[in-house]
Amino acid sequence: MRREAERDDQAFETTHAGFAEESRIAANLEAPALYGEAIRRNEARIARGGALVVETGAHTGRSPDDKFIVRDALTEASVWWENCRAMSPEHFDRLRADMATSAGETPLFMQDLYAGADPLRRLKVRVYSEYAWHSLFIRNLLIRPPKTELADFRPDLTILDLPSFRAHPDRHGCRSQTIIAIDFSRKTALIGGTSYAGEIKKSVFSYLNFILPAEGVLPMHCAANVGEQGDTAIFFGLSGTGKTTLSADPSRSLIGDDEHGWSSEGVFNFEGGCYAKAIRLSREAEPQIFATSERFGSVMENVALDPLTRLPDFEDDSLTENTRIAYPLDFIANASASGRALHPRNIVMLTCDAFGVLPPIAKLDPAQAMYHFLSGYTAKVAGAEKGVREPQATFSTCFGSPFMPRHPSEYGNLLRGLIERHQVDCWLVNTGWTGGKYGVGERIPIHATRSLLRAALDGSLARSEFRADPHFGLLTPRTAPDVEASLLDPASTWSSKRDFAETAKRLIGMFRENFAKFEPHVDREIVAAQPGEGARA
């Protein structure tokens, strides 16, 4: 292993924060070298087309129950502790010392990267990782500085990622052998006991979600793109709602697919890559994302390969439904080179309603937008988990509860102010079911969703005639280009109006029950935006 960047030895060793000796660090290796190390160490295989294919073992997704924030003078009054698990400074010190000891016996890969395309709000991130493929993953996902900027790189946030490390609950004040711990005061994140690389990128996101609101910047779990006329759009949505798919529009420039900031100057990407879901990926439905699976440099997680042809099988969910591809943003032909854009003209909040009662698109006023932003609704479908036979509602506030260390009202108030200040049109888009719940109805056709979005983003849908939805208090268009009028009225697609009304009532109850915890923190206008009795129509 070798160092690619030459630097002052004393300064270089000091910045390692005691995690490892310089001789055990492979610094800022690029994709070819990381491929070689990953193959040599039996971490990965190469698919036909050139992508690196890895398996993450027992952890095929994030471990939110194992994530902790150090509770100290900085975080005591600023962190939303009802949602975040606390760790004492003493336990963190012990964890850090034990992980540093473990790291000292292990060759590490180091990447110096940026989080934030806006130079004024850029975070310098140094990531030490035990696996070569983890180093390539985070190199794909964050912004790669020019080599000329590496010599004097001094990190604002340092991450140590050791999948082989096993935490001890009694000794480290945690829940299990898996640990994700962030100390905002000491600007350090520690990750152990999991091979799921998404924990690295989400630790960066969590850190930004803590520091940026104090600067008046709204951090967002969203995708963003921009049209030829400079009309920026942002797409909020939980996993599986279509955030990455719908933002990858060949007619618009992609800013990013997952994490952005909204400042007084406009929107900027936190990342330099994309982390797309790969399950049931097809060349026909998602050509741009599919093409990345055939590129050298992409990392495919838990995607099955044919043992003879090395072709990926995107239908195979034997390892997990959460198969992923991590690739640099410039693998998308029409991606933004700057990662920045003007203030959005449209905000799209995506939900996959497996109950089949929300309209495929509805226009929101600022209060409704804040309500649905704080609610963060989508639904799991039957069959996704063992024993699940009915759709299950999921509410993740701000469309990213696990990554939001501050109280949701802080993010919500920032969003509402920005929407009103810049007169943004807001839309709720359902990519889920119509004609009945999951198992009875059908998935809303993606071509219909794309047509509705196209009309929303070009401004034509806002000029349509709208009707008031009697159940959810939403304004839905009566007609839209290239979409059957019956699809726009979800009740009309059900064979039984009674079943529709009962299902809608049930979902409304879930919305209201979930929002009760937010009512003390919002004004009456937001409370009045709730669906059901008292909703505005």
Side-chain angles (χ1 to χ4, degrees):
M1 298 187 8
R2 61 187 177 85
R3 285 183 298 157
E4 286 199 344
E6 294 296 330
R7 59 188 79 199
D8 178 81
D9 286 345
Q10 184 177 358
F12 183 59
E13 187 171 349
T14 300
T15 59
H16 289 331
F19 287 147
E21 296 179 1
E22 182 181 354
S23 61
R24 289 182 173 270
I25 301 288
N28 296 311
L29 299 188
E30 298 183 8
L34 291 170
Y35 261 64
E37 290 292 339
I39 298 301
R40 183 180 67 82
R41 294 152 58 106
N42 295 315
E43 295 176 3
R45 296 172 291 164
I46 300 178
R48 179 178 291 189
L52 198 70
V53 181
V54 300
E55 295 182 8
T56 62
H59 294 277
T60 57
R62 292 179 299 99
S63 300
D65 291 341
D66 295 306
K67 182 178 179 180
F68 294 81
I69 293 173
V70 172
R71 192 167 192 160
D72 59 13
L74 175 65
T75 59
E76 178 65 41
S78 54
V79 165
W80 180 32
W81 292 113
E82 292 87 344
N83 184 63
C84 301
R85 289 170 174 78
M87 175 176 281
S88 71
E90 293 75 21
H91 279 127
F92 187 87
D93 285 343
R94 200 172 297 150
L95 175 68
R96 185 187 182 285
D98 290 349
M99 290 187 71
T101 298
S102 180
E105 302 169 355
T106 305
L108 295 179
F109 299 89
M110 187 191 85
Q111 292 289 337
D112 287 334
L113 302 161
Y114 293 145
D118 182 351
L120 297 177
R121 296 173 176 85
R122 179 169 287 164
L123 185 76
K124 294 181 178 180
V125 183
R126 173 164 289 171
V127 181
Y128 298 95
S129 49
E130 179 181 359
Y131 292 167
W133 80 261
H134 275 200
S135 195
L136 178 58
F137 170 92
I138 200 61
R139 183 178 176 84
N140 282 353
L141 265 294
L142 293 184
I143 298 169
R144 298 159 292 283
K147 287 186 177 180
T148 55
E149 297 180 18
L150 293 175
D152 297 320
F153 193 95
R154 296 293 181 268
D156 303 309
L157 172 66
T158 300
I159 299 174
L160 177 60
D161 163 51
L162 296 180
S164 67
F165 180 83
R166 298 293 181 264
H168 298 277
D170 291 340
R171 178 171 174 77
H172 301 127
C174 53
R175 188 189 70 96
S176 73
Q177 292 184 327
T178 300
I179 183 68
I180 303 97
I182 303 178
D183 187 326
F184 291 119
S185 295
R186 284 173 283 188
K187 303 176 181 180
T188 303
L190 304 173
I191 302 170
T194 174
S195 296
Y196 183 67
E199 298 286 12
I200 309 173
K201 97 180 205 92
K202 290 305 183 186
S203 293
V204 177
F205 189 40
S206 296
Y207 190 87
L208 289 167
N209 284 338
F210 180 76
I211 66 172
L212 289 180
E215 301 175 14
V217 178
L218 174 65
M220 303 176 292
H221 184 214
C222 72
N225 63 26
V226 61
E228 293 181 357
Q229 305 302 317
D231 53 312
T232 308
I234 58 179
F235 301 76
F236 289 106
L238 300 174
S239 178
T241 58
K243 180 161 51 73
T244 298
T245 298
L246 294 170
S247 61
D249 184 339
S251 68
R252 298 173 65 83
S253 178
L254 179 68
I255 304 168
D257 82 324
D258 198 45
E259 300 171 3
H260 294 80
W262 187 356
S263 71
S264 57
E265 289 79 34
V267 172
F268 63 98
N269 195 357
F270 290 163
E271 301 185 302
C274 299
Y275 194 31
K277 292 198 77 170
I279 194 69
R280 291 175 286 279
L281 180 67
S282 74
R283 193 186 302 275
E284 295 71 29
E286 300 169 86
Q288 294 192 90
I289 298 173
F290 190 92
T292 69
S293 72
E294 301 174 315
R295 291 283 300 268
F296 177 88
S298 291
V299 177
M300 296 201 293
E301 286 183 338
N302 300 313
V303 173
L305 289 185
D306 183 287
L308 296 178
T309 67
R310 295 288 184 97
L311 285 170
D313 181 358
F314 295 118
E315 300 294 322
D316 190 327
D317 62 357
S318 57
L319 293 175
T320 177
E321 278 267 333
N322 190 36
T323 57
R324 297 272 182 169
I325 308 177
Y327 50 90
L329 194 62
D330 59 17
F331 279 17
I332 300 295
N334 61 327
S336 165
S338 69
R340 289 177 284 168
L342 300 174
H343 297 289
R345 189 177 299 172
N346 289 278
I347 290 175
V348 178
M349 298 187 184
L350 298 165
T351 181
C352 179
D353 177 30
F355 293 93
V357 293
L358 285 176
I361 196 165
K363 196 170 188 305
L364 307 175
D365 64 27
Q368 289 174 320
M370 185 172 175
Y371 175 86
H372 284 279
F373 179 69
L374 291 176
S375 297
Y377 165 71
T378 193
K380 295 178 182 178
V381 299
E385 296 181 6
K386 186 176 180 180
V388 177
R389 297 183 179 276
E390 294 290 326
Q392 292 186 347
T394 297
F395 295 94
S396 184
T397 187
C398 307
F399 295 96
S401 174
F403 327 119
M404 303 295 172
R406 295 181 179 272
H407 193 276
S409 60
E410 287 194 50
Y411 306 107
N413 286 325
L414 278 170
L415 178 68
R416 187 181 183 186
L418 287 163
I419 289 171
E420 292 175 339
R421 193 174 308 131
H422 300 288
Q423 299 182 325
V424 185
D425 283 335
C426 299
W427 308 90
L428 181 68
V429 173
N430 174 22
T431 61
W433 273 256
T434 185
K437 63 184 180 182
Y438 173 84
V440 178
E442 298 178 347
R443 192 80 186 256
I444 295 173
I446 191 169
H447 68 81
T449 302
R450 290 191 189 279
S451 294
L452 290 168
L453 277 175
R454 195 176 304 117
L457 301 188
D458 69 19
S460 61
L461 195 62
R463 298 189 294 270
S464 299
E465 182 183 355
F466 288 81
R467 61 172 160 241
D469 173 87
H471 298 281
F472 293 92
L474 301 170
L475 290 177
T476 60
R478 292 185 180 275
T479 60
D482 302 319
V483 178
E484 293 183 12
S486 60
L487 184 66
L488 300 172
D489 178 11
S492 70
T493 66
W494 284 54
S495 59
S496 169
K497 300 299 183 288
R498 178 179 176 182
D499 288 349
F500 175 88
E502 289 179 351
T503 305
K505 182 178 179 180
R506 179 184 170 201
L507 182 58
I508 288 167
M510 296 177 190
F511 265 98
R512 296 174 74 88
E513 180 181 2
N514 171 74
F515 201 76
K517 60 180 174 288
F518 299 124
E519 290 189 17
H521 303 280
V522 299
D523 59 36
R524 292 181 180 180
E525 188 178 9
I526 309 302
V527 176
Q530 294 190 92
E533 184 179 355
R536 295 163 300 162

